[in-house]
Amino acid sequence: MTRECALLLPGVCAALADPRQPGLDDTCLEKLLDWFRSLTWFDPTVELVQDNPCLPELITSVLALPEPSPSILSFTLQLAGILASSETRFQHLQEEKLLGRLFGREGPRGGAAWEEASVRSAWVKGVHSMVHHQPALHFLCTMGGMDVIFALQGDPSLFVASAASQLLVHMLTFSLESETSKPLSTKDCDWPACAQMIIKHIEESLQSSSASHIEQSLKLLTSLFGSCFGSCYAAWTEVLWLDIANQIESFLLEDTVKAQHVLANLLLNVARSPVFCGTEGSFWALVTSALEHLTPLQAGPLAVGLLKLCKCPQDVRIQALTVLLQPMDCILRAASQPLEYAGLLDESVSDPVTVESLLSSKTSCAGLLCQTLAHLEKLLSLKHLRVDLPCVSLLRSLMTILQFCNGFLSPTSPLGSTISRNLINCFRVQKSALDVLAALSEKKGCDTLIGSLFDVLLAYLQSPNTSPTVLKKTFQATSKWLVHLQELSCSNSQWQQTEKILEDVFLVLQKRLCSPCWEVRDSSLEFLTAMVKCLRDQKEFRQSLLSSEVLRLTENLLEDPESYVRASAVTAVGHLALITYCAPESPVIGNPYNKENTVAKLQEILSTDSEGFPRRAVISIFTKWLREGSGQLEDTEQFVSRVIQTVEHDLDWEVRLGGLELVEVFCSQTICQLSPCPYAPVSSAVSSPTPQNELLQVFCRAKLFGFLFRSLCDCDKPVGQRACDVLIGLRGHFYPMSTLENPQEIEDSPAGRGIAWLQRTLRQGSLAQNFPTDGGDGVDFQDPESMMLALGAIDLLELHDELNKSSNHVEESPQSLLQDILATMGTIEDNEVDCY
């Protein structure tokens, strides 16, 4: 603690303890606690409380108040816990007889403030901070603190109950860490004292007749096995599990305890423990029993969790997958009876009637399918899945669900008719099914269903009943399967099928681009952009695109009344331009696209559009064009110069930042083009300018330096930071050996005086007024020699450090915080002054 803070602290403590003072806001108190945490973290000695007696005095004063305010009491509880986190300070506070009055039997539980959840939460946090040494554990076990923690597990505030549970986990694991003993049997005496109390509490709660107590203990066990206890204390984990396994099994088999979802989470956390790596043992039999007895909704999370484990026995994996696939199998079987195709499963894990009844119910059908589909999407995203998914049957089941949802399938079975009625126009299920459908595009073996799949997708794209959100998902799935289709066409020459599908897709896209709904127009443009990104090198795609009306309609949407649509149109036009005049082969004859017209339209949007989204899209597209290398250097130089002169005055900082990214790409490419090859023969000619001079001339003609130096003083810090990074990169090129200019030596020259003035201006940052324009104050941003001197003389690293400082680095210092508290609360005399 600094001397200045030590002088301010007594006044702050006195103000906090005075009930007549106005209360501080919680944010200020939390910052003060953070400061104390940092002080105690680096210094475990007792000097902090001995040298600052105002701290224990503050605790004493608050405890002496008949009814302290909840916020000050909460602060005091947390402060005491933080101070007691080291053994020496704990003993000092014990000698002052403070901790028992805060965290023991005589604690604040009897007062009115205890009714506030914030006070109870602060009590738990204080105890959690304190429990980092054996005396604190012993104190809680002997002074009644454990009973309070056990009671707070059932607190009406979920935050307090969760914090109490986490505290017990911390205490149990810490007691095992600090007492190096190994379990020899399951007797109580083998556990350390604190752990014994917690284990006994768990066992008694599990055997009680109170459902809430049972659920609290199951949640505590779930947290315990999910913490480092389950992974770092294998022997103790096994002892604890053997002690409770029979009780857990009885809960699974009985209907009396309604906490099956907690049981599933508990089993999954136990399964992650290294203790159960082997394929033998009663634990996996219990897991199998759980998969059989839990309902599909309860067993789903357990099943997907087991399938993600590396060490799960293969037979359990297969059973878990069967649980997940049961609803999908039921859908296939319900769609047609007798069954036209093979189902997903040969046999079920649980009773198929249970799944059928859930799917037959309007209230549970969508929920079960959405959960199942979400789990399947997770599995499909895994790089290594240790079971084989029946992808063809799964795809067929997904298509059936989608057809049920839009009414395009009329099942013959009674169950199928019921499910179809439940799913009609169910957007939740449609979106989930389309997500899985998109993920399935990366799997092999579904080629035989490509035609039927695109029939379903096109039906969704064409249907006027498809909602905008479902349409967006359909577009995403379609773009992924189009990529898969192109790969198939290349391998087996199915050109006609591909051309027909592409033709149908572009016909429906033309219709959707003219939709009266702006969300549909926006999704259509995003779909077009996604297709161009993935398929622009495919000849069939380019031909279908250029022979359609899509190009014209996309250009028209540059003038859409909705700014989001204009932004998406800009992005689409930018990507289409890479096909139409940057494609490897010659453009198609009669192509309506014109490079100059496109650039002019986008520059007009950059200059005149009233909304930020389209302007950001334009600068992003211009940068992409530059990266992809369109046009010669001379054209690029003029193009970049025009763009940055427009961007420099834009009110949107993200557009200005985009302009700096454009400049960075331009500089990088120009340096690569003009820098000599190290292996090229040295020319004897002396008439041509050196590459460095030529580079500087290009950059000065493009007016880059004025833009970069002015951006250093931008009022939005990310812009200044990026400009500084670009200038440091340029200096690294022009001064590769760190042979920088000496500011004192160049100050006498005319250019040097201007650069010295520029350095002083830049140090003012965003506060700089009247930033010099080209030629003003002796600074010529278009003079190569001056700019070379500026790069070498201006301390860019100092500016970089200043720009990267937090904007409130001064205001957030501990000294400033203490001063603010004193200024906010004032003195008693100040507060009692007559307002007149």
Side-chain angles (χ1 to χ4, degrees):
M1 185 186 299
T2 64
R3 181 175 173 277
E4 291 79 10
C5 290
L7 292 172
L8 292 168
L9 189 57
V12 169
C13 289
L16 289 172
D18 195 320
R20 296 175 297 170
Q21 289 282 10
L24 279 175
D25 66 275
D26 292 342
T27 305
C28 204
L29 292 173
E30 194 57 50
K31 286 180 181 178
L32 198 53
L33 289 171
D34 286 339
W35 178 50
F36 284 117
R37 284 188 191 99
S38 65
L39 288 174
T40 56
W41 179 262
F42 294 109
D43 181 14
T45 62
V46 75
E47 277 77 12
L48 179 63
V49 286
Q50 283 181 339
D51 297 345
N52 298 281
C54 58
L55 293 173
E57 286 169 9
L58 167 63
I59 299 171
T60 304
S61 300
V62 171
L63 287 172
L65 295 173
E67 288 297 337
S69 72
S71 63
I72 292 299
L73 181 56
S74 297
F75 171 80
T76 306
L77 287 164
Q78 291 187 73
L79 174 63
I82 291 166
L83 294 176
S85 59
S86 83
E87 195 166 339
T88 54
R89 289 193 300 268
F90 174 87
Q91 298 295 357
H92 182 87
L93 294 174
Q94 273 286 68
E95 289 167 13
E96 300 271 346
K97 295 185 169 47
L98 295 176
L99 295 178
R101 296 168 64 190
L102 289 169
F103 302 118
R105 290 189 184 91
E106 331 161 28
R109 285 177 290 158
W114 189 255
E115 298 300 316
E116 295 284 337
S118 61
V119 173
R120 300 194 300 277
S121 177
W123 189 92
V124 175
K125 287 176 182 176
V127 172
H128 206 134
S129 298
M130 183 172 65
V131 179
H132 285 95
H133 45 82
Q134 271 296 318
L137 279 179
H138 179 72
F139 165 80
L140 290 167
C141 291
T142 57
M143 298 294 288
M146 297 300 294
D147 294 333
V148 183
I149 301 169
F150 294 147
L152 289 175
Q153 272 189 284
D155 196 89
S157 165
L158 293 177
F159 293 106
V160 176
S162 175
S165 185
Q166 292 301 321
L167 173 58
L168 288 171
V169 170
H170 168 67
M171 291 175 71
L172 195 148
T173 52
F174 180 72
S175 70
L176 294 177
E177 278 175 23
S178 52
E179 294 186 29
T180 54
S181 57
K182 291 189 177 181
L184 303 174
S185 69
T186 57
K187 293 179 183 177
D188 283 350
C189 58
D190 296 327
W191 292 90
C194 181
Q196 255 186 59
M197 291 185 74
I198 297 171
I199 299 301
K200 184 180 178 184
H201 165 72
I202 290 171
E203 290 171 348
E204 288 176 355
S205 297
L206 290 177
Q207 291 165 10
S208 76
S209 57
S210 167
S212 63
H213 287 175
I214 292 171
E215 188 168 349
Q216 286 164 26
S217 283
L218 289 174
K219 285 180 178 177
L220 175 56
L221 285 167
T222 303
S223 299
L224 186 60
F225 285 111
S227 70
C228 64
F229 174 82
S231 54
C232 302
Y233 300 97
W236 290 110
T237 302
E238 188 170 15
V239 169
L240 178 57
W241 176 253
L242 290 173
D243 216 21
I244 62 170
N246 290 337
Q247 192 70 50
I248 301 299
E249 186 173 14
S250 70
F251 290 152
L252 278 172
L253 301 176
E254 297 168 7
D255 290 333
T256 51
V257 179
K258 303 299 180 186
Q260 275 76 9
H261 62 290
V262 186
L263 286 170
N265 292 335
L266 170 61
L267 289 172
L268 187 56
N269 281 355
V270 176
R272 294 187 177 114
S273 170
V275 175
F276 303 104
C277 288
T279 55
E280 302 294 326
S282 59
F283 170 71
W284 292 110
L286 183 57
V287 171
T288 303
S289 176
L291 290 171
E292 291 172 5
H293 287 91
L294 295 174
T295 68
L297 279 167
Q298 295 161 351
L302 173 61
V304 76
L306 292 168
L307 288 167
K308 289 180 177 180
L309 294 178
C310 301
K311 59 185 187 315
C312 181
Q314 189 65 12
D315 59 328
V316 178
R317 274 201 198 100
I318 292 168
Q319 191 168 6
L321 182 63
T322 303
V323 166
L324 283 185
L325 293 178
Q326 265 187 274
M328 307 301 287
D329 181 67
C330 185
I331 291 286
L332 267 185
R333 295 179 186 279
S336 58
Q337 289 181 354
L339 196 62
E340 284 183 53
Y341 308 103
L344 279 158
L345 305 172
D346 296 325
E347 59 182 27
S348 298
V349 172
S350 56
D351 187 356
V353 175
T354 307
V355 177
E356 289 175 11
S357 64
L358 286 168
L359 291 175
S360 299
S361 166
K362 183 79 174 174
T363 54
S364 58
C365 179
L368 175 60
L369 284 178
C370 284
Q371 178 182 279
T372 301
L373 292 165
H375 291 330
L376 289 170
E377 189 185 4
K378 276 184 191 173
L379 292 183
L380 288 167
S381 68
L382 296 178
K383 288 184 179 178
H384 303 291
L385 186 60
R386 290 167 175 80
V387 287
D388 293 327
L389 277 172
C391 291
V392 175
S393 298
L394 182 57
L395 179 57
R396 189 172 279 119
S397 182
L398 288 167
M399 292 183 336
T400 304
I401 289 172
L402 289 169
Q403 287 173 309
F404 276 162
C405 288
N406 66 4
F408 289 175
L409 184 65
S410 300
T412 54
S413 70
L415 176 62
S417 299
T418 304
I419 295 173
S420 179
R421 282 195 303 274
N422 290 339
L423 293 179
I424 196 75
N425 291 328
C426 184
F427 300 154
R428 285 171 57 210
V429 173
Q430 287 174 326
K431 289 187 287 185
S432 298
L434 287 162
D435 283 336
V436 181
L437 198 67
L440 207 54
S441 65
E442 297 173 15
K443 302 296 177 185
K444 295 179 181 178
C446 300
D447 307 347
T448 53
L449 297 176
I450 282 279
S452 304
L453 169 65
F454 274 100
D455 287 343
V456 173
L457 290 171
L458 284 165
Y460 265 76
L461 293 175
Q462 291 163 351
S463 172
N465 296 324
T466 304
S467 74
T469 52
V470 172
L471 183 69
K472 187 183 180 82
K473 293 282 186 184
T474 309
F475 275 138
Q476 290 167 353
T478 303
S479 64
K480 292 219 172 182
W481 278 98
L482 281 172
V483 174
H484 186 75
L485 178 66
Q486 287 291 342
E487 292 167 357
L488 280 179
S489 300
C490 294
S491 60
N492 58 19
S493 303
Q494 291 183 340
W495 306 115
Q496 290 181 336
Q497 182 189 31
T498 302
E499 286 175 5
K500 177 68 173 68
I501 289 172
L502 283 170
E503 183 183 329
D504 292 340
V505 167
F506 279 114
L507 279 173
V508 76
L509 182 58
Q510 288 171 188
K511 175 185 170 187
R512 291 298 190 178
L513 287 170
C514 301
S515 170
C517 175
W518 75 264
E519 290 99 331
V520 171
R521 299 195 300 277
D522 193 51
S523 296
S524 304
L525 289 164
E526 288 175 354
F527 170 59
L528 175 60
T529 303
M531 282 200 298
V532 173
K533 282 180 182 177
C534 299
L535 303 171
R536 73 181 196 186
D537 295 331
Q538 302 296 329
K539 184 180 177 184
E540 296 79 22
F541 173 75
R542 289 197 299 272
Q543 287 177 340
S544 298
L545 169 66
L546 296 172
S547 61
S548 70
E549 291 291 306
V550 166
L551 296 174
R552 179 182 61 79
L553 294 170
T554 303
E555 276 205 346
N556 291 346
L557 291 176
L558 290 172
E559 299 173 9
D560 195 275
E562 177 56 55
S563 64
Y564 291 109
V565 177
R566 294 199 301 278
S568 295
V570 166
T571 305
V573 164
H575 283 82
L576 288 166
L578 295 170
I579 286 184
T580 52
Y581 59 78
C582 303
E585 75 265 2
S586 300
V588 175
I589 296 171
N591 169 20
Y593 242 53
N594 179 282
K595 176 182 175 181
E596 288 72 23
N597 287 349
T598 303
V599 174
K601 283 180 182 176
L602 295 188
Q603 284 186 327
E604 184 184 358
I605 291 171
L606 185 62
S607 305
T608 62
D609 200 296
S610 60
E611 296 286 339
F613 295 111
R615 301 200 306 275
R616 290 177 202 169
V618 170
I619 196 65
S620 177
I621 281 298
F622 283 168
T623 306
K624 182 175 179 60
W625 283 356
L626 206 57
R627 277 205 180 95
E628 305 240 346
S630 57
Q632 299 301 311
L633 181 59
E634 293 80 12
D635 298 336
T636 307
E637 182 187 315
Q638 295 172 14
F639 167 69
V640 169
S641 181
R642 285 196 303 270
V643 170
I644 62 175
Q645 287 176 70
T646 302
V647 163
E648 186 173 12
H649 305 292
D650 199 292
L651 297 176
D652 188 325
W653 71 269
E654 291 193 47
V655 176
R656 300 195 299 278
L657 189 67
L660 289 166
E661 188 179 353
L662 179 84
V663 165
E664 191 171 24
V665 173
F666 174 66
C667 291
S668 175
Q669 291 191 342
T670 308
I671 288 169
C672 289
Q673 287 181 40
L674 295 182
S675 295
C677 173
Y679 304 106
V682 178
S683 171
S684 58
V686 292
S687 57
S688 61
T690 64
Q692 277 205 350
N693 287 342
E694 193 176 349
L695 271 174
L696 281 168
Q697 287 168 11
V698 170
F699 294 157
C700 287
R701 284 198 304 268
K703 301 184 178 178
L704 295 193
F705 288 111
F707 176 49
L708 287 170
F709 280 114
R710 277 188 285 273
S711 295
L712 287 174
C713 295
D714 197 282
C715 57
D716 288 287
K717 186 175 284 191
V719 177
Q721 289 170 329
R722 190 60 174 267
C724 197
D725 290 339
V726 176
L727 283 166
I728 289 172
L730 287 174
R731 187 177 71 177
H733 177 77
F734 288 109
Y735 291 90
M737 304 304 292
S738 298
T739 52
L740 302 179
E741 305 288 349
N742 187 333
Q744 281 77 27
E745 291 179 6
I746 65 167
E747 212 168 281
D748 295 334
S749 66
R753 283 192 293 274
I755 288 162
W757 188 91
L758 176 61
Q759 170 91 43
R760 290 193 298 273
T761 306
L762 292 173
R763 281 184 177 141
Q764 298 174 42
S766 59
L767 300 176
Q769 300 293 321
N770 304 318
F771 194 92
T773 55
D774 290 329
D777 293 288
V779 183
D780 188 352
F781 292 115
Q782 291 182 261
D783 174 46
E785 185 181 349
S786 296
M787 291 301 99
M788 185 72 177
L789 284 174
L791 285 173
I794 290 174
D795 194 343
L796 293 171
L797 293 178
E798 180 192 14
L799 289 169
H800 183 270
D801 291 342
E802 283 298 316
L803 285 164
N804 281 283
K805 278 184 184 174
S806 169
S807 59
N808 54 1
H809 66 280
V810 175
E811 291 79 0
E812 283 200 344
S813 67
Q815 183 181 342
S816 176
L817 175 63
L818 296 174
Q819 288 169 340
D820 287 347
I821 291 171
L822 286 172
T824 302
M825 302 188 81
T827 63
I828 297 302
E829 290 75 15
D830 290 340
N831 289 332
E832 289 178 346
V833 167
D834 193 318
C835 62
Y836 295 106

